[in-house]
Amino acid sequence: MSSIKQKHLNVAYANDSDKQKMDIFIPEAEGLFPAVVLIHGGGFKAGDKKMEYFKAKKLVENGYVAVSVNYRLSGEAVFPAAVHDVKAAIRFIKANADKYAINPNKIGTWGVSAGGNLSAMMGTSAGNDFADGIVGNFMNESTRIQACIDWFGPINFATMTLHAKQLRFKKSFDVTIESKYIGADAADPANNSLVQSANPATYIDENDPPFYIQVGDKDPLVPFLQSQEFANELLEVLGKKRVKFDILESAGHGGSHFNREENLNKVIAFLDEHLKT
């Protein structure tokens, strides 16, 4: 197992906001490594890149450069700002790949909750002008990635309340958080075009990378049907060999079921298959 050889903290990948920074952890050994961009959760309105440090450690131990990113939150800038920020981070590490011992052709993303939505957006929307944006200084770099992990991300904000009803959520459910993220009422059909532009499924095509989606069947915050429907939409285009979907029994919105060693090793195996071959 590798330990951390170098760490670069608060690296600015753009200059529009103090949030546009990332931490980079490089394994011991020589040569170029595949990289995984870690995207924290927090309802698009909170959270920090430090929340992903335990995943960064696991990645480095298994021969990956770990890149944990911050992005503009909804209180500062609404969608598509966060999408553009993570895209800018991907372009930055590709443009500076040699400096950070990264193989620019072997990059994955791994996002949690709101970060799961953003990770999925990275997977499906490469090459789309609206989604790619113009943040940062390396517009000649592609935002295409080679592997995508989505942990229980909200996907289609327009169907979340319906899914909560179908799963008989005990508490009242609304999309206030998602509405703040897009800057409009996500439950209002009049805003459906905007809602669908924040839906990773909108951008699916045959060039998308392999996906690994995990969700808990007892998630009280994001109905697992969000992940299930997204996985099915991906399967229709990418096929079974490129889409892996797990419903974790008795798991909630994150927690020990996801973070235990056995499950993390499944994620590493997925990454190894697609970023080390």
Side-chain angles (χ1 to χ4, degrees):
M1 283 193 171
S2 299
S3 58
I4 295 174
K5 179 181 180 181
Q6 296 180 49
K7 59 182 177 180
H8 302 266
L9 304 181
N10 293 315
V11 176
Y13 59 80
N15 299 295
D16 303 309
S17 166
D18 189 55
K19 281 290 186 180
Q20 294 169 326
K21 292 179 181 176
M22 57 188 171
D23 298 335
I24 303 172
F25 303 92
I26 303 171
E28 286 187 324
E30 298 302 320
L32 301 180
F33 302 93
V36 177
V37 177
L38 298 167
I39 312 168
H40 70 78
F44 303 105
K45 62 185 178 65
D48 186 82
K49 53 188 167 56
K50 292 181 180 179
M51 295 164 61
E52 301 304 298
Y53 276 11
F54 78 97
K55 293 191 190 76
K57 181 176 182 292
K58 180 72 174 179
L59 288 165
V60 169
E61 288 174 349
N62 285 275
Y64 292 88
V65 172
V67 182
S68 192
V69 299
N70 273 349
Y71 50 89
R72 284 173 290 174
L73 303 173
S74 59
E76 177 181 359
V78 298
F79 171 83
V83 173
H84 290 172
D85 285 356
V86 183
K87 297 267 193 176
I90 290 170
R91 288 193 290 258
F92 180 96
I93 62 173
K94 286 187 176 184
N96 295 277
D98 287 344
K99 179 178 180 179
Y100 298 111
I102 291 171
N103 180 344
N105 300 312
K106 296 290 185 179
I107 293 175
T109 59
W110 183 357
V112 177
S113 192
N117 171 282
L118 295 174
S119 180
M121 286 289 289
M122 298 307 109
T124 61
S125 67
N128 179 278
D129 288 343
F130 169 77
D132 277 351
I134 55 172
V135 173
N137 298 319
F138 302 103
M139 295 307 302
N140 291 331
E141 298 289 344
S142 167
T143 62
R144 193 164 300 281
I145 59 173
Q146 287 70 52
C148 185
I149 300 164
D150 162 20
W151 273 9
F152 46 90
I155 300 297
N156 185 353
F157 305 157
T159 59
M160 289 182 71
T161 301
L162 173 63
H163 286 164
K165 289 180 180 178
Q166 289 174 334
L167 296 176
R168 298 181 180 180
F169 275 26
K170 293 180 179 180
K171 295 182 179 180
S172 60
F173 186 90
D174 61 42
V175 286
T176 300
I177 289 173
E178 291 75 19
S179 297
K180 289 181 178 177
Y181 171 59
I182 64 171
D185 183 359
D188 187 342
N191 298 322
N192 191 55
S193 177
L194 177 60
V195 169
Q196 296 313 315
S197 68
N199 178 355
T202 297
Y203 306 94
I204 294 173
D205 67 35
E206 64 275 8
N207 297 313
D208 293 343
F211 268 76
Y212 191 4
I213 300 170
Q214 289 192 320
V215 66
D217 68 346
K218 304 300 184 194
D219 192 326
L221 300 179
V222 177
F224 73 77
L225 294 175
Q226 290 278 298
S227 295
Q228 190 171 63
E229 289 194 356
F230 182 45
N232 288 337
E233 290 176 279
L234 288 166
L235 278 166
E236 288 184 9
V237 178
L238 302 182
K240 292 182 179 180
K241 290 185 178 180
R242 288 198 283 163
V243 181
K244 185 175 176 63
F245 175 54
D246 291 341
I247 299 181
L248 276 60
E249 186 176 351
S250 301
H253 195 70
S256 60
H257 288 78
F258 290 89
N259 298 332
R260 61 192 176 194
E261 199 72 8
E262 178 185 358
N263 192 59
L264 292 175
N265 287 338
K266 289 182 180 180
V267 174
I268 295 298
F270 168 81
L271 292 171
D272 286 350
E273 179 182 358
H274 299 293
L275 298 183
K276 288 189 175 180
T277 56

